[in-house]
Amino acid sequence: IGVALGVKGTGRGPFESATVRIGTSGKISVYTGAAPMGQGTHTMLAQVVAEQLGGDMANIEVVAGDTGPIPRGMGGFGSRQTITAGSSAHLAAIEVKEKALKVAAHMLEAAEQDLEIEGREIRVKGVPDMRVSLAQVANAVAGTPGYALPGGITPGMEATKNFLTDPLAYCYGCHVCEVEVDAETGGVAFLNYVIVHDSGVLINPMIVLGQIQGGVAHGIGNALFEWMGYDDDAQPVTTNFGEYLLPSAPELPNFDIAFLESPSPLNPLGVKRVGEGSTVPAAAA
């Protein structure tokens, strides 16, 4: 039985950019300099923005890594995307929400605090017939010749934010691994593998679960499978995946994973990293 504790500093800054825009069709666009590599960045950003702007993820398009709509981006590394890009999108969505409610209040002749965004509409709470669509609100500030903007409102329904961060948000985890070793062959069989992990607030628990499983697989591969071998002339002998072994599904155990959510005080979402943290204690356990 092996027990290991791991801590990983992540969310490296100094910033990541995000623009949130409600178009005249009512479609919400999110542009970010973050670079998705299969870790669920599109889904995460859509969830973060939907939380503020109606909850309809199907109405949100995420565009990442395109210098056309957004000029700056630092890329994908250091388990940083949710902390940096997610926080920027969160702050931008809040600003767009405040502006949308202000414009809708003018159009509906209602108080801003009496309004809510539900789906693709802004409506008066408790009075469902008093409503305007996000498309109507965006069109009201899109600039139509001969029509004045609502008082004190600037053109367009968008905001760009660069969440700045210097200190790292540290995640941590405890891994307990029970193995059985064949003394004659050296074969290792997994009996149990239990993880308690803290990534702060979980935006999407299923994505977090998958990243933890993948991270542990890397750690197990490092401990039991992967080996750079050389002959007496220093020539590599592990030159393909038949010789340099990586763990695959049949070799890995079931992981019993539980979460401890302690929100980070270092960003507005309270999140910590996921991707690399579960690799840290796996090999040691």
Side-chain angles (χ1 to χ4, degrees):
I1 296 177
V3 180
L5 295 156
V7 64
K8 183 78 167 67
T10 50
R12 185 169 299 281
F15 72 93
E16 195 57 79
S17 302
T19 296
V20 175
R21 175 186 302 152
I22 302 178
T24 53
S25 66
K27 189 80 173 179
I28 300 169
S29 298
V30 183
Y31 304 102
T32 179
M37 301 174 292
Q39 69 272 55
T41 300
H42 285 80
T43 301
M44 175 273 295
L45 289 171
Q47 282 190 246
V48 167
V49 172
E51 181 74 17
Q52 302 298 326
L53 294 174
D56 184 1
M57 288 180 61
N59 192 41
I60 297 175
E61 178 189 34
V62 177
V63 177
D66 186 340
T67 54
I70 193 157
R72 285 173 296 277
M74 297 189 64
F77 59 91
S79 303
R80 63 190 297 274
Q81 307 289 50
T82 303
I83 294 172
T84 54
S87 294
S88 295
H90 172 70
L91 296 173
I94 289 175
E95 186 170 314
V96 171
K97 176 183 179 179
E98 292 172 350
K99 185 173 185 178
L101 293 177
K102 187 182 293 292
V103 174
H106 176 84
M107 297 172 69
L108 293 169
E109 298 182 347
E112 292 176 42
Q113 60 268 26
D114 293 334
L115 301 180
E116 62 182 358
I117 305 177
E118 186 66 36
R120 305 183 187 192
E121 295 180 334
I122 301 177
R123 60 193 186 190
V124 177
K125 298 174 185 175
V127 189
D129 290 338
M130 291 187 65
R131 63 184 186 271
V132 290
S133 68
L134 293 179
Q136 289 173 305
V137 169
N139 272 282
V141 292
T144 302
Y147 289 87
L149 294 175
I153 300 296
T154 55
M157 190 60 68
E158 70 174 67
T160 298
K161 291 294 182 182
N162 300 289
F163 175 69
L164 301 176
T165 181
D166 185 39
L168 299 178
Y170 285 85
C171 77
Y172 59 93
C174 178
H175 292 215
V176 182
C177 183
E178 182 182 2
V179 302
E180 188 173 77
V181 181
D182 187 313
E184 294 187 6
T185 68
V188 178
F190 290 94
L191 303 182
N192 287 294
Y193 202 118
V194 179
I195 302 167
V196 177
H197 186 85
D198 178 22
S199 278
V201 174
L202 305 181
I203 301 295
N204 187 307
M206 186 168 65
I207 290 177
V208 175
L209 194 70
Q211 290 202 22
I212 290 173
Q213 292 170 334
V216 179
H218 278 292
I220 290 173
N222 180 249
L224 300 177
F225 292 85
E226 302 166 41
W227 175 62
M228 289 299 297
Y230 301 87
D231 63 19
D232 292 339
D233 296 320
Q235 297 302 310
V237 296
T238 51
T239 56
N240 59 59
F241 289 131
E243 299 159 343
Y244 182 87
L245 300 180
L246 295 173
S248 59
E251 289 81 52
L252 294 174
N254 179 65
F255 304 120
D256 185 4
I257 302 172
F259 292 108
L260 175 67
E261 292 188 59
S262 59
S264 171
L266 301 177
N267 61 78
L269 294 173
V271 295
K272 304 173 184 176
R273 48 73 48 236
V274 182
E276 297 161 292
S278 56
T279 303
V280 174

